[in-house]
Amino acid sequence: MGEKDSDVKTLNAAREPDNLEDVIIPKTNHCEHHGENGAIVKSTGAEGGEDQNIENVFDITIVLPHQPYKIQVPVSLQGQVQDLRSAIVEQPGTFQYTCFHLEHSGHRINDFTELSDIKGLAPGSEIRLIEDPYTERDARMHVVRIREIIGVAGNRVDMLNGVDAGLSLHETVAPWNGSDAASAAKQKSANLKLTADANPLSDFSFDGPALIQTLLPPNQEAPPRTIKALGVSPWNPPPPTFRQRGHLLYLQLTTNEGEQFQITSHISGFFVNRSSNSKFDPVPKASPKNAMAHSLLTLIQALSPSFGDAFNSLLEANNKRDPLATFQLTSAIPSNPWLVSASSSSATAHQPDLTRTQETYLLSGVENTETLRDWNEEIQSTRELPRETVQDRVFRERLLAKIFAEFNDAAARGGALVARGEVAPLNPTESKDAQIFVYNGIFYSFGADGVGTFTSEGGDEAARIAVGKDVAGVKSVNQLDIAGLATPGTIIVDYLGKRLVAQSIVPGIFKQREPDEPQVDYGGVEGKDIVADNDAFVSTFSQVSKALKVKKHAVWDKERKKHMLEGSVETKGLLGTDGRKYILDLYRLTPLDISWLDAYWTESMCHGQKPLERNYPHRMSVLRPELIEAYWRVKMSEYVKAELDKRKDDQKDVADGDKADQPDQKSAGETGDAQSTDASGAEKNGLETTRDRGRVDISAFSFSLNPDVFCGQVPQTAEEKEEWANDERDVRAVADYLHQNIIPEFIRDLKEGEVGFPMDGQSLSRLMHKRGINVRYVGKLASLTKEGGPRLQALNGLAKQEMIARAFKHVANRYLKNLPTAMAPSCLAHLLNCLLGTETNSSPKAQLDEDLQYLYKDADFSFADATPQSLQTDIETQTQLRYRYTLEEAWLSGVRRPQLLREIALKLGLQLLGKDYCLSPETESRPSDLVSMTNGSATPSLINGHATNGTTSNGGKRKKKRNNGDSPPVSATTSAILEPPHTFIADDIVNIVPIVKDSSSKSVLAEEALEAGRISMMQNQKELGQELLLESLSLHEQIYGILHPEVARVYHQLAMLYYNLDEKDAAVELAHKAVVISERTIGIDSDETILSYLNLSLFEHANHNTAVALACQRHALELWKIIYGPDHPDCMTTYNNAAVMLQHLKFFHESRVWFEKSYAISEHMSGKDSVSTATLAFQLAQALALDQDHKGGVNRMREAYSIFHHKLGPEDRNTKEADSWLDQLTVNAVSIAKHAKDVQAQKVRRALFTPRVTLRTQPQAPVGRSSTEGMNGHVAHPTDSLDNRSIDELMKYIESSGDATRKTPTKKRKNPRSRRAEPSL
């Protein structure tokens, strides 16, 4: 059952392909080839240095047994035969083939070999497709595939993937004119048709509320129906008599004409039999219904006259959609939106499909044994595949990524079942927290201290943290990819208040050993009391320790016996019964954060309670690996500097000695020889100096940390105590470095705008982790940013929002943990009402079903006693307890409630009904039950300013549809008319999905190619860098598959690269793919998706598709308001870009409005006298002049000049440019005033005024990235800003389409504080 959906994905006709022809990489002058994904990539030569400047992609002919008899398929010699099979069956004319083999020159081709192994395969070769006899499994898979192809399979109810999982809104954002979104010619005419009132930004409200419609897909027409039903017949399975004759399955088909056919699946194909609903006779039916075919698709076409046309219409409808938006995800868990449409919407409507209940049989067989897998053996045997050549590494990492994706999917599904109580425990007599489970070959246990292992560390809280750290540790070790060291497949699942850890079963882990034999072979057996030694583990563990900066150190058991370990005493080594060496319990790879524990933790109890200032809930607070890496770089820099200083001193001493010896040499009468010696010596010393300068032998440098300090170890000798004290001193130094350097630098960078500002709690946490800051320090960030400028105030608000959301999560988990699943929606709705629904009802009551309460007499329904006051107190307590921050009085009034609701939903896995919730007094006037918004019935569903169903925004026609029956039925829990209304009801909790954290590592090979490309770009080797980045893209696609977050990030980076290289079409195409994949795998409203939309907007504008660019801007800005709210500190760049685009379309007044908003935000965030504000004042002055506000233009230009003069000096280019413009604008304004009544005033203005008409758009700064880190590795000097064009070009600009260009190239003016942002690398 756990593998059902993965098998469906494999068979689905619309699955994610291994050969995606849509991936378009621009051609260059270098040798190119197609990778296995169909993308054009450049040949980098084989190993050994031999260039392969040949075209190794070519077309071959596939000879078919039926029409169209021959097809052409492009292949790559680097591909697999399985890739060729996939390419064949995904062709429109060859959908019907599933059971076949291939032959070349009369010889059968092995399906599991590479194409390069086929002898004689060359361009134009013919490969013959031969239909094979079916087995029962082949027949079942064929039926599943045909059901998917013809669109008869209904929606699946998925325990893991929620409603609208993997949703993409890309197709609804703008009129892309089909899948060819990059066609500039098609879009140029669209720009001319826009009017000022109809552009996508015309009705955008800067300070208006976030629109939930932005996150909801519009209603779509139902696809054409090809048949009425196709499923397994009641006569199935065949009795032994007919099974001996080759009968495999019995099916039942109902056509659109209403005819019903009983079909036999035979080893030779499919035929209509003589059975009926009441009579069993599975032999072939006589004429005229004696149709028979090898494929079920061909048979249906012969039986139903209307099937052909309906099937073609279905294919046409599918072809109109972007393939990336329809492929099923097979290599990543799809993102689940936190707002979903109502069940009455066509997007989420539940469809009748009797065969849906039969899919388990179709996929797994009668015995359900085909999906049972030995996950551990698959993972470890794949790791042991050869890795000598590049092809070996690609194949190995591709298979590893596939197996990990399948394991994560199966483990998450099983974890959800365990959390819901649907899997029987192996030890039912134990306490609930100590129970263990095995399901689908995967071992499960709760992240709780069921057996008292962490009693002294914090109990359940410590255990919960430990399993999370363990997954992170397994991921780190997996990334190292050390040969001979095995880790089990591991994930954690947070669901319904419970945390479960799922692991592949290690052979021998349950084996009962001899009484005197320890259960593990290396490390601590029972805490630190018993320690096991095994030399077989030293070599592999030492490699882990060296890479992770872990010091080899001594530990002592309870008998004070000394043991030297390569890792923490908590890290264990186990020799499995399969002979492999496993590393387990990796939750303490780094030392404890002793500065935090010293301040906030104590084991001592006073009257059964800890003192409030030392009551942190656990002792598992460890330092982050990123912090240790940063401190290692500091120590390395100090070492190198010391070595260089020492070398300089030595060289100085040598030079002084040589100088002292020179008079003696000359006095001996050997002047010539001395000069020769001096010259040769100087030359030698010069060469050595040149060679050694910047080179320092770092082999003697060593820095590592002891992870077991401050953990109760007791050194015995004086020497051991001294070494232990030094180890403790090193750990304290790292902790001090965090407080004294990392955190202050982090705040300073965000204050000064040197890096992209986080948009939500997820991006803030990710940025903190990247800097080596644990999330527990978010309270310190909030404390340090209470006072300061607007940017620090924004950071303070974001930090408090994150603390409140996390505190609510802990409170909710406490209530959910021991609550029946059926009561979870009521619990969550009540808690949300207590926190966010007090504007509707200040005293909300829990909506409990008394019948369910009676059924679950032992359940904990204490959530019903929660009140707004008690919940706020609980949140304040959790915030103080976990983050050491005291929330201010009336803190709830200062948070952004819609954004807080989103953060809570994402952290708990909630999918809420998409409607306007009454969360604040501003929204109180709006009804809280506008569920019809999700299906376009109550108000116009606006996306980028356009009604999705073509109606106007005045609501005239909408009001007539309010009572059209689209609203969902009122639930029983809300039928009591006398009760006050509630903002949230149980029915608003549409679904709860598990939160999964996996241990899958990134591809080492793809990352190496990507890093090599980055280094080449940094060294200004653009051609080599571009070549390596394309190879990295090909490797990412081959290893991960197309639909994966890492592939989306590579698309994003390459799009920026091509934009900088002025290859606009390629940049647009790649940016579109980055957007779709980001939406489906990361989230439709994630910060990465927003940045992808913003950059896509810039690329479309540069490609003369400004109308589409504005639509992308609108969508990104609406998403921005949803996840952050209005006036994000970095949004001035986006507003400025929108103003430039509007000015390009000659919407001068609208452009002025956006310039004014950008200027206002800059003035607020950076200060009125900042250079960035002066730059925007300069641009605004030009916009005001274009809008005929000449006096305002003069005033703004005077402000810009004054700031430039004061900040940069009178000789700076910007100051001089502003002065020149100020003179022109002043003269122009005076002239207009004097000739206001002159009919020639327009000509005078044209002659005197030169507005800025080619303002450049700037990419948005990615979160946490410096705005000066360019894609090519250079420090990007500010080049935008002040105009240097001639006055005579105004006539050309006004009379042309607004795309005037310079006649001659001129040197660009440089402006400090340019807000140029570069791609996130």
Side-chain angles (χ1 to χ4, degrees):
M1 180 174 179
E3 288 301 297
K4 180 180 73 171
D5 289 275
S6 64
D7 286 342
V8 173
K9 295 172 185 175
T10 304
L11 292 166
N12 189 357
R15 66 180 179 86
E16 178 190 342
D18 292 322
N19 298 283
L20 181 62
E21 297 297 331
D22 274 358
V23 181
I24 299 176
I25 306 298
K27 294 184 178 180
T28 66
N29 295 327
H30 301 280
C31 176
E32 299 167 334
H33 67 272
H34 283 74
E36 290 183 17
N37 57 348
I40 302 174
V41 294
K42 300 176 182 178
S43 175
T44 57
E47 290 185 336
E50 296 182 2
D51 292 333
Q52 294 181 343
N53 295 321
I54 59 173
E55 194 74 25
N56 62 351
V57 173
F58 49 84
D59 289 340
I60 61 174
T61 301
I62 307 297
V63 180
L64 306 172
H66 309 291
Q67 289 184 349
Y69 298 113
K70 288 186 178 181
I71 59 171
Q72 299 290 321
V73 177
V75 297
S76 167
L77 290 179
Q78 297 177 348
Q80 307 285 327
V81 175
Q82 288 288 346
D83 300 330
L84 176 59
R85 289 178 61 95
S86 299
I88 293 173
V89 300
E90 287 164 6
Q91 297 279 347
T94 53
F95 280 148
Q96 67 269 30
Y97 299 108
T98 62
C99 187
F100 62 90
H101 71 270
L102 301 175
E103 291 185 358
H104 179 252
S105 301
H107 299 285
R108 180 167 182 158
I109 300 174
N110 190 325
D111 293 339
F112 300 97
T113 61
E114 296 182 357
L115 293 174
S116 57
D117 295 335
I118 303 176
K119 295 182 179 180
L121 186 65
S125 295
E126 287 192 353
I127 290 183
R128 193 171 297 275
L129 186 149
I130 307 298
E131 295 175 333
D132 284 339
Y134 288 94
T135 63
E136 186 202 12
R137 183 181 186 280
D138 293 333
R140 289 189 279 106
M141 297 299 103
H142 183 82
V143 173
V144 173
R145 174 175 168 78
I146 296 304
R147 279 172 46 83
E148 295 285 349
I149 290 175
I150 64 178
V152 72
N155 63 306
R156 288 189 175 86
V157 179
D158 200 328
M159 290 290 295
L160 175 62
N161 302 324
V163 181
D164 284 337
L167 174 67
S168 173
L169 299 175
H170 170 265
E171 295 173 308
T172 68
V173 170
W176 306 113
N177 288 338
S179 60
D180 187 10
S183 176
K186 294 181 179 180
Q187 294 294 336
K188 282 182 180 178
S189 59
N191 291 338
L192 301 179
K193 297 177 183 178
L194 281 180
T195 63
D197 295 332
N199 78 79
L201 297 178
S202 59
D203 60 345
F204 179 79
S205 174
F206 293 107
D207 301 320
L211 300 177
I212 63 167
Q213 295 92 337
T214 309
L215 299 180
L216 303 177
N219 279 340
Q220 298 178 353
E221 294 183 2
R225 193 174 184 87
T226 56
I227 61 174
K228 289 186 177 181
L230 173 63
V232 178
S233 168
W235 299 112
N236 195 71
T241 304
F242 289 97
R243 184 172 293 278
Q244 297 297 324
R245 303 181 188 179
H247 292 202
L248 305 175
L249 299 172
Y250 296 135
L251 308 174
Q252 185 170 290
L253 167 69
T254 305
T255 66
N256 283 341
E257 291 81 9
E259 291 188 84
Q260 187 178 90
F261 299 94
Q262 299 286 337
I263 296 175
T264 296
S265 172
H266 191 262
I267 55 175
S268 62
F270 297 82
F271 60 82
V272 178
N273 62 40
R274 291 161 46 173
S275 297
S276 65
N277 290 334
S278 58
K279 177 185 176 183
F280 178 64
D281 189 4
V283 299
K285 194 172 186 177
S287 181
K289 298 296 184 181
N290 59 347
M292 179 177 179
H294 187 268
S295 170
L296 182 59
L297 183 67
T298 307
L299 177 62
I300 296 174
Q301 193 164 6
L303 296 176
S304 175
S306 63
F307 175 81
D309 293 337
F311 185 56
N312 290 332
S313 299
L314 177 64
L315 293 179
E316 291 177 3
N318 291 337
N319 290 335
K320 291 179 181 179
R321 301 197 61 192
D322 188 334
L324 289 178
T326 58
F327 292 142
Q328 289 195 14
L329 281 80
T330 60
S331 57
I333 295 177
S335 66
N336 293 289
W338 64 280
L339 278 181
V340 296
S341 303
S343 59
S344 57
S345 171
S346 62
T348 57
H350 194 49
Q351 304 166 359
D353 181 17
L354 181 62
T355 313
R356 182 166 46 222
T357 60
Q358 304 169 347
E359 280 190 346
T360 301
Y361 159 71
L362 289 173
L363 293 171
S364 309
V366 176
E367 302 296 331
N368 194 26
T369 58
E370 296 179 12
T371 59
L372 298 179
R373 301 167 64 175
D374 187 343
W375 293 106
N376 190 75
E377 181 61 30
E378 289 190 40
I379 293 173
Q380 309 310 334
S381 60
T382 303
R383 281 203 180 106
E384 294 166 356
L385 290 173
R387 59 177 89 178
E388 284 75 20
T389 67
V390 173
Q391 290 185 354
D392 288 342
R393 294 179 66 185
V394 170
F395 179 76
R396 175 179 176 273
E397 293 190 4
R398 181 180 184 179
L399 192 56
L400 264 178
K402 178 177 180 294
I403 290 175
F404 271 118
E406 293 172 351
F407 171 79
N408 295 341
D409 184 87
R413 295 178 190 279
L417 292 175
V418 172
R420 295 170 69 93
E422 299 181 21
V423 179
L426 298 181
N427 53 342
T429 59
E430 300 286 343
S431 65
K432 186 169 292 187
D433 288 341
Q435 290 177 349
I436 58 176
F437 309 81
V438 172
Y439 180 79
N440 199 15
I442 300 173
F443 173 77
Y444 295 92
S445 60
F446 287 106
D449 192 22
V451 294
T453 304
F454 297 95
T455 301
S456 62
E457 307 290 331
D460 289 345
E461 288 281 357
R464 183 182 181 91
I465 297 298
V467 296
K469 299 295 183 184
D470 183 41
V471 170
V474 172
K475 188 168 189 172
S476 299
V477 174
N478 286 343
Q479 191 64 45
L480 298 177
D481 200 14
I482 297 173
L485 187 63
T487 57
T490 309
I491 71 166
I492 56 175
V493 180
D494 290 328
Y495 187 56
L496 296 175
K498 307 174 185 68
R499 169 164 287 189
L500 291 112
V501 56
Q503 293 180 308
S504 60
I505 301 176
V506 176
I509 196 170
F510 296 123
K511 179 183 176 182
Q512 293 295 327
R513 302 195 180 190
E514 297 297 329
D516 57 343
E517 186 180 4
Q519 286 296 110
V520 298
D521 299 287
Y522 190 78
V525 180
E526 296 177 3
K528 54 182 179 290
D529 292 338
I530 301 176
V531 180
D533 289 322
N534 192 324
D535 293 338
F537 287 85
V538 173
S539 60
T540 52
F541 272 51
S542 64
Q543 297 180 58
V544 176
S545 300
K546 183 178 180 180
L548 299 179
K549 315 294 187 300
V550 177
K551 181 180 180 179
K552 183 177 182 179
H553 61 281
V555 297
W556 297 264
D557 58 22
K558 62 182 179 180
E559 298 176 355
R560 298 293 185 260
K561 181 180 178 182
K562 181 179 177 180
H563 304 266
M564 296 298 297
L565 294 182
E566 291 287 346
S568 168
V569 70
E570 304 292 349
T571 302
K572 301 172 177 58
L574 176 68
L575 187 63
T577 55
D578 56 358
R580 298 185 177 100
K581 288 176 282 189
Y582 291 88
I583 183 170
L584 306 173
D585 293 348
L586 297 169
Y587 52 83
R588 192 174 286 170
L589 291 177
T590 57
L592 294 174
D593 185 356
I594 189 60
S595 63
W596 180 272
L597 294 177
D598 282 347
Y600 306 121
W601 162 265
T602 183
E603 295 183 13
S604 61
M605 305 285 285
C606 180
H607 303 293
Q609 291 184 344
K610 296 182 180 181
L612 292 178
E613 65 276 6
R614 303 287 296 279
N615 64 342
Y616 194 67
H618 61 83
R619 201 175 184 271
M620 298 300 296
S621 305
V622 296
L623 301 173
R624 290 198 62 83
E626 297 89 345
L627 172 65
I628 296 175
E629 187 68 26
Y631 190 76
W632 178 87
R633 288 195 296 267
V634 171
K635 300 299 288 185
M636 168 70 78
S637 177
E638 293 176 355
Y639 175 82
V640 171
K641 184 177 183 299
E643 289 295 313
L644 291 176
D645 292 342
K646 180 180 178 181
R647 183 177 301 170
K648 289 179 181 179
D649 294 339
D650 293 341
Q651 292 175 352
K652 183 178 180 181
D653 294 341
V654 171
D656 292 342
D658 292 343
K659 185 177 182 180
D661 293 340
Q662 286 178 3
D664 294 339
Q665 293 173 350
K666 293 180 180 179
S667 64
E670 299 176 353
T671 306
D673 293 340
Q675 290 176 347
S676 175
T677 303
D678 290 344
S680 61
E683 180 180 359
K684 182 178 180 180
N685 290 336
L687 288 174
E688 290 178 354
T689 302
T690 303
R691 185 186 308 114
D692 294 339
R693 184 177 301 160
R695 288 187 179 184
V696 175
D697 183 10
I698 63 173
S699 59
F701 173 76
S702 175
F703 175 79
S704 55
L705 297 175
N706 183 346
D708 287 326
V709 294
F710 309 111
C711 293
Q713 294 290 334
V714 182
Q716 301 300 304
T717 67
E719 182 181 356
E720 292 170 352
K721 292 179 180 179
E722 181 180 359
E723 182 179 3
W724 201 261
N726 292 333
D727 292 344
E728 291 181 345
R729 193 178 305 113
D730 288 341
V731 172
R732 288 191 182 276
V734 177
D736 292 341
Y737 180 70
L738 171 66
H739 290 271
Q740 298 171 8
N741 297 85
I742 296 295
I743 294 178
E745 288 176 4
F746 177 80
I747 295 175
R748 183 172 60 253
D749 288 346
L750 290 176
K751 176 183 178 181
E752 297 176 356
E754 296 298 328
V755 298
F757 201 88
M759 299 183 187
D760 60 355
Q762 287 184 324
S763 57
L764 175 62
S765 302
R766 189 169 61 247
L767 181 56
M768 291 176 63
H769 287 165
K770 187 176 180 181
R771 294 292 189 97
I773 306 172
N774 303 85
V775 173
R776 61 177 171 272
Y777 285 105
V778 69
K780 183 171 184 177
L781 290 182
S783 299
L784 295 175
T785 55
K786 282 184 177 180
E787 304 293 336
R791 292 182 70 90
L792 289 186
Q793 291 301 308
L795 178 60
N796 179 268
L798 201 57
K800 287 193 290 187
Q801 176 181 292
E802 180 67 3
M803 287 188 290
I804 294 168
R806 287 175 176 265
F808 181 91
K809 178 190 72 173
H810 288 290
V811 174
N813 284 340
R814 186 183 70 204
Y815 288 123
L816 290 171
K817 184 177 181 181
N818 299 314
L819 196 66
T821 304
M823 301 302 296
S826 297
C827 172
L828 291 166
H830 179 61
L831 295 179
L832 289 174
N833 281 325
C834 291
L835 179 66
L836 300 174
T838 53
E839 296 297 336
T840 302
N841 189 337
S842 59
S843 300
K845 303 295 182 182
Q847 303 165 3
L848 292 175
D849 190 316
E850 295 181 359
D851 293 336
L852 291 180
Q853 278 187 281
Y854 180 79
L855 289 175
Y856 296 100
K857 295 181 180 180
D858 297 332
D860 181 10
F861 294 98
S862 59
F863 75 89
D865 299 328
T867 64
Q869 293 74 24
S870 67
L871 179 60
Q872 291 182 29
T873 300
D874 287 343
I875 290 175
E876 292 169 1
T877 301
Q878 290 293 324
T879 303
Q880 173 63 34
L881 177 68
R882 299 178 184 277
Y883 310 110
R884 298 295 144 176
Y885 185 82
T886 302
L887 293 171
E888 302 83 359
E889 293 185 8
W891 52 266
L892 189 56
S893 61
V895 300
R896 303 173 189 251
R897 298 196 178 194
Q899 287 70 37
L900 180 59
L901 175 62
R902 173 182 178 271
E903 293 288 352
I904 290 172
L906 292 178
K907 286 175 171 54
L908 290 173
L910 308 184
Q911 290 191 293
L912 305 176
L913 184 63
K915 68 179 185 179
D916 281 331
Y917 295 98
C918 182
L919 303 178
S920 61
E922 290 78 8
T923 59
E924 189 171 3
S925 60
R926 291 183 292 171
S928 62
D929 57 347
L930 290 183
V931 182
S932 53
M933 274 190 146
T934 61
N935 54 25
S937 299
T939 60
S941 180
L942 294 176
I943 295 182
N944 297 320
H946 302 287
T948 57
N949 59 357
T951 58
T952 60
S953 59
N954 58 11
K957 295 183 179 180
R958 299 284 183 150
K959 294 181 180 180
K960 298 179 180 180
K961 296 183 179 181
R962 181 175 294 274
N963 297 321
N964 61 355
D966 286 344
S967 299
V970 179
S971 66
T973 58
T974 59
S975 60
I977 301 176
L978 298 179
E979 293 184 2
H982 292 84
T983 300
F984 299 92
I985 61 174
D987 290 344
D988 292 333
I989 314 297
V990 177
N991 190 29
I992 305 175
V993 296
I995 306 297
V996 179
K997 298 177 182 178
D998 64 75
S999 59
S1000 305
S1001 60
K1002 295 182 180 179
S1003 165
V1004 177
L1005 182 60
E1007 290 297 316
E1008 287 176 353
L1010 183 60
E1011 185 63 24
R1014 290 172 178 167
I1015 294 174
S1016 298
M1017 298 300 292
M1018 291 175 64
Q1019 297 173 348
N1020 205 27
Q1021 301 176 6
K1022 292 186 177 180
E1023 292 183 359
L1024 177 60
Q1026 182 180 359
E1027 185 175 338
L1028 290 170
L1029 289 172
L1030 289 174
E1031 280 293 344
S1032 175
L1033 172 62
S1034 176
L1035 290 171
H1036 274 84
E1037 291 172 336
Q1038 293 179 53
I1039 292 169
Y1040 294 117
I1042 303 298
L1043 298 176
H1044 194 278
E1046 294 301 323
V1047 177
R1049 295 179 182 115
V1050 174
Y1051 276 140
H1052 179 83
Q1053 295 172 24
L1054 279 180
M1056 184 62 70
L1057 168 68
Y1058 284 117
Y1059 174 72
N1060 292 332
L1061 295 177
D1062 205 31
E1063 297 187 26
K1064 305 298 193 308
D1065 287 343
V1068 167
E1069 186 68 26
L1070 290 171
H1072 276 284
K1073 297 182 186 302
V1075 165
V1076 176
I1077 300 174
S1078 295
E1079 285 184 321
R1080 301 197 64 196
T1081 60
I1082 305 175
I1084 57 175
D1085 59 348
S1086 69
D1087 62 297
E1088 293 184 57
T1089 299
I1090 292 175
L1091 290 173
S1092 295
Y1093 266 113
L1094 292 175
N1095 282 342
L1096 173 59
S1097 172
L1098 301 190
F1099 305 158
E1100 289 282 9
H1101 171 66
N1103 208 30
H1104 310 291
N1105 305 333
T1106 306
V1108 172
L1110 289 175
C1112 293
Q1113 287 270 355
R1114 171 65 180 264
H1115 186 69
L1117 289 172
E1118 294 289 1
L1119 291 176
W1120 214 334
K1121 285 202 294 186
I1122 287 173
I1123 75 170
Y1124 178 84
D1127 296 343
H1128 185 272
D1130 286 347
C1131 67
M1132 68 181 103
T1133 303
T1134 302
Y1135 290 167
N1136 190 76
N1137 290 340
V1140 172
M1141 295 176 190
L1142 290 168
Q1143 193 176 93
H1144 175 80
L1145 296 176
K1146 295 188 178 181
F1147 299 154
F1148 297 131
H1149 179 71
E1150 291 75 13
S1151 173
R1152 164 189 174 170
V1153 172
W1154 286 80
F1155 274 125
E1156 288 176 336
K1157 183 62 176 178
S1158 179
Y1159 171 80
I1161 295 177
S1162 178
E1163 190 176 40
H1164 176 66
M1165 292 292 174
S1166 304
K1168 190 172 183 179
D1169 296 332
S1170 67
V1171 176
S1172 61
T1173 302
T1175 303
L1176 289 171
F1178 185 99
Q1179 298 176 359
L1180 177 57
Q1182 297 171 326
L1184 291 170
L1186 280 173
D1187 197 32
Q1188 306 303 317
D1189 186 355
H1190 307 285
K1191 183 178 179 180
V1194 171
N1195 293 335
R1196 291 302 182 195
M1197 190 60 70
R1198 185 177 292 111
E1199 292 177 11
Y1201 169 76
S1202 176
I1203 297 173
F1204 285 146
H1205 187 277
H1206 176 69
K1207 295 286 187 180
L1208 307 178
E1211 300 302 320
D1212 186 83
R1213 291 181 179 179
N1214 292 330
T1215 306
K1216 293 180 179 180
E1217 194 74 24
D1219 186 28
S1220 173
W1221 275 88
L1222 179 59
D1223 291 341
Q1224 293 183 57
L1225 291 174
T1226 303
V1227 172
N1228 186 69
V1230 172
S1231 176
I1232 291 175
K1234 290 181 180 179
H1235 301 83
K1237 298 182 181 181
D1238 193 336
V1239 294
Q1240 298 298 322
Q1242 183 69 19
K1243 295 181 179 179
V1244 174
R1245 284 196 297 273
R1246 287 184 180 177
L1248 294 176
F1249 172 60
T1250 311
R1252 177 177 179 170
V1253 294
T1254 56
L1255 301 178
R1256 290 185 56 190
T1257 55
Q1258 299 298 321
Q1260 182 69 45
V1263 174
R1265 298 293 297 182
S1266 171
S1267 60
T1268 58
E1269 296 175 10
M1271 180 66 193
N1272 56 3
H1274 297 291
V1275 175
H1277 297 287
T1279 56
D1280 62 324
S1281 317
L1282 305 189
D1283 200 5
N1284 57 354
R1285 302 187 55 177
S1286 63
I1287 298 177
D1288 295 335
E1289 290 179 329
L1290 178 60
M1291 288 286 293
K1292 294 182 180 179
Y1293 175 71
I1294 294 179
E1295 294 174 359
S1296 68
S1297 62
D1299 195 24
T1301 56
R1302 292 173 172 82
K1303 295 180 180 179
T1304 57
T1306 57
K1307 188 175 181 180
K1308 296 180 180 179
R1309 308 292 176 135
K1310 294 184 178 181
N1311 173 50
R1313 299 289 299 179
S1314 161
R1315 297 195 58 80
R1316 174 168 181 145
E1318 298 298 339
S1320 176
L1321 294 181

